[in-house]
Amino acid sequence: MTIALRTLDDGAWISVNDSRQVSVSDVWTLSRGVFCDCEPAYVLLEGFVDVGVDGSIVTADAVGQCLDCGTRDSIDRLPIGQIVDGEFEPYGPEGVQSLVEPGR
């Protein structure tokens, strides 16, 4: 089954099958070293740049800012959800995330 993924509204949303699913308005919790030296890093996403799939995991490239230290940078391959039985299941931003390494 094919799943259509794309960014919408100048990077404000990730669309899955023409339905807005993931917004940049959330604070994501990232493990240490993924984004900055904060442990964990609470990162406010400012915009999605790209979206893709690695196996069953949906990843996004984004730009964000750490709320504790102020680091502002890009994030590559942030896991935002997974495909289960042909359906998208988003991850909650409150769960501690690590980045998906290419070819894992």
Side-chain angles (χ1 to χ4, degrees):
M1 172 179 227
T2 301
I3 304 288
L5 300 169
R6 62 187 176 129
T7 61
L8 293 177
D9 301 329
D10 294 325
W13 288 91
I14 298 292
S15 169
V16 180
N17 290 335
D18 296 323
S19 174
R20 288 175 172 82
Q21 294 288 322
V22 182
S23 169
V24 294
S25 63
D26 291 321
V27 174
W28 286 73
T29 307
L30 304 180
S31 61
R32 182 178 183 161
V34 167
F35 186 77
C36 60
D37 288 332
C38 295
E39 186 176 350
Y42 298 101
V43 178
L44 175 63
L45 296 187
E46 299 173 347
F48 292 112
V49 179
D50 198 12
V51 63
V53 176
D54 187 334
S56 64
I57 299 174
V58 178
T59 63
D61 296 345
V63 174
Q65 182 170 7
C66 178
L67 298 179
D68 290 328
C69 71
T71 295
R72 185 172 188 271
D73 206 349
S74 61
I75 305 167
D76 294 330
R77 303 175 58 77
L78 174 68
I80 59 169
Q82 63 183 345
I83 306 297
V84 177
D85 296 326
E87 298 293 323
F88 176 73
E89 293 184 6
Y91 294 150
E94 67 281 352
V96 178
Q97 300 292 327
S98 294
L99 302 185
V100 174
E101 296 296 325
R104 69 173 199 117

